Amino acid sequence: MRVIETKTGRHFGDAKNPLLVSVRSGSAMSMPGMMDTILNLGLNEQTLAGEIEQTGDPRFGYDTYRRFISCSARSRWACPTSCSTRS
């Protein structure tokens, strides 16, 4: 993580300049469709403000946060898609 932080100039958990990463579980054998990918890991209420400030686009920031929560709910808590996509 330190290498990525150094190369990008962003820091994981930094509220002003957040580093967001995508994480995929690994396996020695390819298993398409069996491994979940978590997008935008590192996004939370504090880093969201920094992301919005960096992009200048609140709608993009909130949509990214919504997708992170949705992805986490499906992967971590086996929440069906319908419960994570309600308006």
Side-chain angles (χ1 to χ4, degrees), residues 10-68:
R10 293 176 173 256
H11 301 282
F12 192 78
D14 186 337
K16 294 188 184 229
N17 195 21
L19 171 65
L20 306 179
V21 296
S22 296
V23 180
R24 182 174 187 139
S25 56
S27 172
M29 299 179 73
S30 178
M31 299 172 8
M34 296 303 293
M35 296 186 284
D36 292 326
T37 300
I38 303 295
L39 304 174
N40 304 310
L41 185 64
L43 199 54
N44 58 44
E45 290 178 12
Q46 291 75 37
T47 58
L48 175 59
E51 188 68 16
I52 290 171
E53 187 175 326
Q54 293 263 327
T55 64
D57 188 349
R59 184 175 180 177
F60 172 77
Y62 286 111
D63 187 52
T64 301
Y65 192 37
R66 178 194 60 79
R67 286 183 282 131
F68 168 68

